[in-house]
Amino acid sequence: ESDEDNCQMIYQKENYKKTVAPFLYDPETKISTPVNVVVSFVIEDILKIEEIDHVYTLKFSILLEWYDFRLTYYNLKKDTTANALTTPEVEKLWIPFVVFENTEKNEAVMGDSRSEVNIQREGNSTKSSRSLVEEINMYKGLENKIKFEQVYTKTFKCEYQLQLYPFDTQTCNVRMLIRRFEKSKIDLTPNEIFMEGDTVLTQYLVSYWNLEYINRTEKTDGIQLVVVMKRRIMNALLTTYLPSLLILIMVYCTNFFKPFFFEAIVTVNLTALLVLTTLFISVSGALPQTAYVKMIDVWLIFAQMIPFFEVLLHTMVDAMRNEEEREINHHGRTIPVVDGVAVHNGNGKENGGFLADIEDMPKNPKLAFTKDDISALNNIDEQQLVAARKAWYDSAKVNEVGVKIGEFTGKYIIPSFILLFSIFYWSYGLSYYFTDEYSL
């Protein structure tokens, strides 16, 4: 016998098969012992979180360690990095086929040119046969560990549970399995987990990570990396809750408008309802479509109901003021009032020469209005319109009990209901948000 190459590190028998796991078999008891593959994980970065597509992208290193009794190693060094295998040697080795089950195409760990494989010297050496030209220290594969490491960037599925959004905490994982026909020959054992990437992300705070069995009672089901991410709530507070709260405050302020500003009251509430509806659609469009209602949906739907009920309330109160002639509804048109603040002549113009319709200006060349004249007339028009409305409300027959109930409801009952709902809503959301279900 002679050594083919002084740099050769691995000796394999001719019957060595890289497709067969190095499990041990006892012919007397006919019991096979599966090879134990120890798995360690290094999270280098969480590159992307896509809630709409229910995926996230992870950059990580995986470290696999096992013993292969079928191999013999030559001249191993104490420094493990000095025992690195070449690509041709790696391609001849059996490498655990660990499947990433929650990737789209069930990607797996496989040795290639990017893999780093070293032999860790643990056992004692024996001297080579004297028939060899050079003396070689030989190490048994059963006593010296193979260490495989490779860096991956993969996209994994993650079912985001958004019922409590934006007070939610998401749990994503990397599920690692052995192929079904190899389960009796290979055991996966979780070992160490390291976090080298940032734990403060754009949308989340990474609060917990662990490497564990998927099923502690059935360890052949595989292992999983668990990553727990708590949402950063400040963005939702500033872009959704704060604007909606300010709008509700403005809606509440309409309860203190003078009664003859009924049109302004309705306009403010309807505008608030439109803005809140637009905000609700915008927030819903930025999140995955779900069959369940999220907490932020509850808040925005509740906020939309406030201006809606305010319009109904003020309409009901206004209807309790009875008067036969009521036609005040547009700028520039004074309406006859019971006691007659402005007299209507039937064609939309005022008697007494206060106003003339601008449309008549080309037909009446003697009218030479300047911009200042038109501005003054418009001011007079607005003043008369406000005076007419005020006179109507002052002289209208009022159901005083009903109006007082309506005003009390708008000023006290509705804001009290908003306050109670807000206390319950925020207590529930924040109590869950600050509850640590996981601890490192």
Short mmCIF file of all heavy atoms in Angstrom, two decimals, residues 42 57 106 148-149 161 181 187 197 214 285 288 292 328 346 348 403 426 437:
data_model
loop_
_atom_site.label_atom_id
_atom_site.label_comp_id
_atom_site.label_asym_id
_atom_site.label_seq_id
_atom_site.Cartn_x
_atom_site.Cartn_y
_atom_site.Cartn_z
N VAL A 42 -27.50 30.14 13.52
CA VAL A 42 -27.07 31.53 13.72
C VAL A 42 -27.96 32.41 12.85
O VAL A 42 -27.96 32.31 11.62
CB VAL A 42 -25.59 31.73 13.34
CG1 VAL A 42 -25.20 33.20 13.55
CG2 VAL A 42 -24.69 30.81 14.15
N THR A 57 -38.18 36.75 5.05
CA THR A 57 -36.90 36.33 4.48
C THR A 57 -35.83 36.41 5.55
O THR A 57 -35.68 37.43 6.22
CB THR A 57 -36.52 37.21 3.27
OG1 THR A 57 -37.56 37.14 2.30
CG2 THR A 57 -35.23 36.73 2.65
N ASN A 106 -39.82 23.32 -0.57
CA ASN A 106 -39.18 22.37 0.33
C ASN A 106 -37.67 22.27 0.09
O ASN A 106 -37.11 21.19 -0.13
CB ASN A 106 -39.82 20.98 0.20
CG ASN A 106 -41.17 20.91 0.89
OD1 ASN A 106 -41.51 21.76 1.71
ND2 ASN A 106 -41.95 19.91 0.55
N PHE A 148 -20.32 20.67 9.60
CA PHE A 148 -20.77 21.25 8.33
C PHE A 148 -21.41 22.61 8.62
O PHE A 148 -22.25 22.74 9.52
CB PHE A 148 -21.79 20.32 7.67
CG PHE A 148 -22.49 20.90 6.47
CD1 PHE A 148 -22.04 20.65 5.19
CD2 PHE A 148 -23.62 21.71 6.62
CE1 PHE A 148 -22.69 21.18 4.09
CE2 PHE A 148 -24.27 22.24 5.54
CZ PHE A 148 -23.81 21.98 4.26
N GLU A 149 -21.03 23.63 7.86
CA GLU A 149 -21.61 24.96 8.04
C GLU A 149 -21.83 25.62 6.68
O GLU A 149 -20.99 25.52 5.79
CB GLU A 149 -20.71 25.85 8.90
CG GLU A 149 -21.32 27.20 9.20
CD GLU A 149 -20.47 28.02 10.17
OE1 GLU A 149 -19.39 27.53 10.57
OE2 GLU A 149 -20.91 29.13 10.54
N GLN A 161 -50.89 36.25 12.58
CA GLN A 161 -52.18 36.34 13.27
C GLN A 161 -52.42 37.80 13.64
O GLN A 161 -51.77 38.33 14.54
CB GLN A 161 -52.18 35.45 14.51
CG GLN A 161 -51.90 33.98 14.22
CD GLN A 161 -52.95 33.37 13.29
OE1 GLN A 161 -54.14 33.66 13.41
NE2 GLN A 161 -52.50 32.51 12.38
N PHE A 181 -38.48 8.40 4.73
CA PHE A 181 -37.83 7.08 4.72
C PHE A 181 -36.50 7.08 5.48
O PHE A 181 -35.90 6.02 5.69
CB PHE A 181 -37.61 6.60 3.28
CG PHE A 181 -36.68 7.45 2.47
CD1 PHE A 181 -35.32 7.23 2.47
CD2 PHE A 181 -37.18 8.48 1.69
CE1 PHE A 181 -34.47 8.01 1.72
CE2 PHE A 181 -36.34 9.27 0.93
CZ PHE A 181 -34.97 9.05 0.96
N ASP A 187 -31.46 11.10 13.60
CA ASP A 187 -32.07 11.89 14.67
C ASP A 187 -31.53 13.32 14.59
O ASP A 187 -30.31 13.52 14.52
CB ASP A 187 -31.75 11.32 16.05
CG ASP A 187 -32.58 10.10 16.37
OD1 ASP A 187 -33.62 9.90 15.72
OD2 ASP A 187 -32.17 9.33 17.27
N GLY A 197 -28.02 39.30 14.24
CA GLY A 197 -28.64 40.40 13.53
C GLY A 197 -29.28 41.39 14.50
O GLY A 197 -29.31 41.18 15.72
N ILE A 214 -40.12 20.24 17.40
CA ILE A 214 -41.48 20.59 16.99
C ILE A 214 -42.48 19.93 17.91
O ILE A 214 -43.47 20.54 18.34
CB ILE A 214 -41.72 20.16 15.52
CG1 ILE A 214 -40.81 20.97 14.58
CG2 ILE A 214 -43.18 20.35 15.14
CD1 ILE A 214 -40.90 20.54 13.14
N GLY A 285 -56.40 48.20 3.36
CA GLY A 285 -55.68 47.85 2.15
C GLY A 285 -54.21 47.55 2.38
O GLY A 285 -53.59 46.84 1.58
N PRO A 288 -53.16 42.23 5.25
CA PRO A 288 -53.72 41.06 4.56
C PRO A 288 -55.24 41.00 4.72
O PRO A 288 -55.78 41.37 5.77
CB PRO A 288 -53.04 39.88 5.25
CG PRO A 288 -51.82 40.45 5.89
CD PRO A 288 -52.16 41.86 6.25
N TYR A 292 -61.52 37.48 9.72
CA TYR A 292 -61.81 37.98 11.07
C TYR A 292 -61.60 39.50 11.13
O TYR A 292 -60.96 40.10 10.27
CB TYR A 292 -60.95 37.28 12.11
CG TYR A 292 -59.47 37.27 11.81
CD1 TYR A 292 -58.66 38.38 12.07
CD2 TYR A 292 -58.86 36.14 11.25
CE1 TYR A 292 -57.31 38.36 11.79
CE2 TYR A 292 -57.50 36.12 10.98
CZ TYR A 292 -56.74 37.23 11.24
OH TYR A 292 -55.40 37.22 10.96
N ILE A 328 -84.59 78.03 4.49
CA ILE A 328 -83.21 78.53 4.56
C ILE A 328 -82.27 77.38 4.24
O ILE A 328 -82.15 76.43 5.01
CB ILE A 328 -82.90 79.08 5.96
CG1 ILE A 328 -83.85 80.22 6.28
CG2 ILE A 328 -81.47 79.55 6.05
CD1 ILE A 328 -83.71 80.74 7.69
N GLY A 346 -90.23 86.16 -4.63
CA GLY A 346 -90.67 85.05 -5.48
C GLY A 346 -89.72 84.69 -6.58
O GLY A 346 -89.89 83.69 -7.23
N GLY A 348 -86.18 84.99 -6.21
CA GLY A 348 -84.83 84.77 -5.69
C GLY A 348 -84.08 86.03 -5.40
O GLY A 348 -82.92 86.02 -5.05
N VAL A 403 -85.61 68.57 22.91
CA VAL A 403 -84.37 69.25 22.56
C VAL A 403 -83.35 69.11 23.68
O VAL A 403 -82.16 68.86 23.45
CB VAL A 403 -84.64 70.73 22.26
CG1 VAL A 403 -83.33 71.50 22.12
CG2 VAL A 403 -85.46 70.88 20.98
N TRP A 426 -58.25 50.19 25.08
CA TRP A 426 -56.83 50.34 25.30
C TRP A 426 -56.33 49.48 26.45
O TRP A 426 -55.18 49.01 26.43
CB TRP A 426 -56.50 51.81 25.55
CG TRP A 426 -56.60 52.61 24.28
CD1 TRP A 426 -57.64 53.36 23.85
CD2 TRP A 426 -55.60 52.69 23.26
NE1 TRP A 426 -57.38 53.91 22.62
CE2 TRP A 426 -56.13 53.51 22.24
CE3 TRP A 426 -54.33 52.15 23.11
CZ2 TRP A 426 -55.41 53.81 21.09
CZ3 TRP A 426 -53.61 52.45 21.97
CH2 TRP A 426 -54.15 53.27 20.97
N GLU A 437 -45.13 36.43 26.87
CA GLU A 437 -45.41 35.00 26.88
C GLU A 437 -44.13 34.18 26.76
O GLU A 437 -44.08 33.02 27.13
CB GLU A 437 -46.36 34.63 25.74
CG GLU A 437 -47.72 35.31 25.85
CD GLU A 437 -48.63 34.89 24.73
OE1 GLU A 437 -48.28 33.97 23.97
OE2 GLU A 437 -49.72 35.46 24.63
#
